Amino acid sequence: MSPMDRRDFTKLSVMAAAASALPLHAEEQKPVRFAPVGLGAISDIFMRACAQTPKCKVTALVTGHAKEKAPKYEKLYGVSPKAVYNYENYDEIAHNPDIDAVYIGLPNSMHAEYTIRAAKAGKHVLCEKPMAISSKECRQMIDACRDNNVKLMIAYRVHYDPMWQQIRKMALSGAIGEIQGFQGGFFGPKYKGWRLHRKLAGGGSLLDLGIYPLNTIRWICGEEPSSYSAQVATKLKGPRFAQVEESVQFTMKFPSGTLASSGSSYGYMGPAFLSIDGTKGSLFVEPAFLYQGLKYHGNTIHGPVSGVSQGKLPYQFTAEAEHFADCVRNNRQPATPGEEGLKDMVAMEAIYRAAGAPIA
């Protein structure tokens, strides 16, 4: 054997040995195949997110407007017209082996029904927030998914953003001392449509915008609130706020003594922000809860800190979709399971009670 032949043989032997050492599960896993339920703006973003990762794929559609909306997505994602369902024949997804999971992007009051029906059809569920419009519904959703051995994850995209994870890590590391309090809010007058109808939304800005600072505070604090105070108000008179409140302001006290105040409104323009305040420093995030453009700055025991996210829409959706896909393929518990959505719903019901406002 010539020197060149020996080198080639040695190279091939090393490659063969390396290949034989790979575990059987190292083969690339198939993508989790989704059927988005409801083809509104949020589902459009989710489908774009799935297209950016090999871990996810859109293989079916569920819509009440098949002729108007489905053709666009059939063409974009290669969905067969035979895999387009409506709300009446939705249960037929049980017989489609090319659907592993559904993404619920419907109005809030429809989340429970279509999650439970998906679970009974044997499909995993990634459900938008708020999880439902009552804690009773949340518990029914959790029970249905558990009883049918399917995953249930709530789409808290903030939890999957790398910069938010960095901010939380700093806050909990002692870099700002012991956390003493939070101040936050999410405000914007542009929201309209079904969000202003109590039957569909379940409430006003709290369920749509206020849930962001509420959930993020709970996530960072690591405790559940022990007491609440709150006010709701509607200053802008007219048909727009005939069914839901315009604005909410609330405070929470945690068992450790940490205090938090936050608010939300459909009536006035304001920031989407969160301030995390400790005994030796603070972190301020703004904009905090938008789809992109996340920024923060602050002072820590190590000196000034700041950051600007380079992520572009739909990067947060892609991250949460990938996490869900990993949980489905590897039989893991999601970081934001149904129990997390339930805790937010319990807190929002308590906020409404503290304000003397009706609960859906």
Side-chain angles (χ1 to χ4, degrees), residues 95-302:
H95 308 300
N96 188 338
D98 292 327
I99 301 173
D100 300 308
V102 300
Y103 169 78
I104 307 292
L106 295 165
N108 304 340
S109 66
M110 301 171 74
H111 289 186
E113 176 186 348
Y114 287 89
T115 291
I116 293 169
R117 289 171 69 181
K120 290 180 178 179
K123 307 302 181 182
H124 303 285
V125 181
L126 175 55
C127 181
E128 268 301 333
K129 61 200 167 305
M131 182 176 174
I133 61 171
S134 72
S135 56
K136 179 181 178 180
E137 285 189 345
C138 293
R139 292 186 176 94
Q140 291 171 343
M141 294 161 72
I142 292 169
D143 290 344
C145 290
R146 183 193 61 243
D147 293 345
N148 290 280
N149 196 31
V150 297
K151 304 293 182 187
L152 173 59
M153 175 173 144
I154 310 305
Y156 288 110
R157 55 185 171 81
V158 164
H159 289 239
Y160 304 102
D161 184 301
M163 182 163 283
W164 263 116
Q165 292 173 350
Q166 178 184 345
I167 292 166
R168 178 175 182 262
K169 185 177 180 179
M170 271 194 293
L172 296 177
S173 72
I176 60 172
E178 184 177 355
I179 296 175
Q180 293 292 98
F182 299 84
Q183 297 182 62
F186 196 175
F187 310 92
K190 67 178 181 179
Y191 298 91
K192 55 186 179 180
W194 63 263
R195 290 173 173 80
L196 301 180
H197 296 272
R198 178 169 292 277
K199 184 177 180 180
L200 292 174
S205 65
L206 177 61
L207 275 76
D208 188 31
L209 303 181
I211 190 173
Y212 281 92
L214 168 63
N215 180 263
T216 307
I217 289 167
R218 289 184 43 256
W219 180 46
I220 295 174
C221 192
E223 299 180 282
E224 297 307 314
S226 55
S227 61
Y228 304 81
S229 62
Q231 296 286 336
V232 301
T234 299
K235 187 175 182 180
L236 297 175
K237 306 303 179 184
R240 186 162 181 247
F241 295 110
Q243 297 186 30
V244 300
E245 76 283 349
E246 174 190 343
S247 304
V248 181
Q249 291 287 333
F250 59 93
T251 62
M252 302 180 290
K253 182 179 179 180
F254 292 85
S256 63
T258 300
L259 296 175
S261 64
S262 190
S264 61
S265 178
Y266 282 154
Y268 60 87
M269 184 62 71
F273 77 99
L274 184 68
S275 177
I276 310 167
D277 306 310
T279 54
K280 297 181 180 179
S282 64
L283 298 169
F284 187 79
V285 191
E286 184 190 356
F289 309 116
L290 307 184
Y291 292 151
Q292 57 188 344
L294 177 64
K295 297 180 182 179
Y296 78 91
H297 66 270
N299 291 295
T300 73
I301 59 175
H302 309 295

Side-chain angles (χ1 to χ4, degrees), residues 6-57:
R6 283 195 295 271
R7 286 197 297 269
D8 290 343
F9 179 78
T10 301
K11 181 179 179 181
L12 288 171
S13 298
V14 171
M15 291 173 63
S20 65
L22 289 173
L24 294 176
H25 64 268
E27 181 182 350
E28 184 176 349
Q29 294 180 328
K30 293 181 180 180
V32 168
R33 298 160 295 181
F34 281 96
V37 184
L39 300 185
I42 197 78
S43 291
D44 181 271
I45 298 172
F46 178 77
M47 285 186 275
R48 288 159 56 191
C50 288
Q52 294 190 6
T53 172
K55 295 185 178 183
C56 304
K57 185 177 181 180

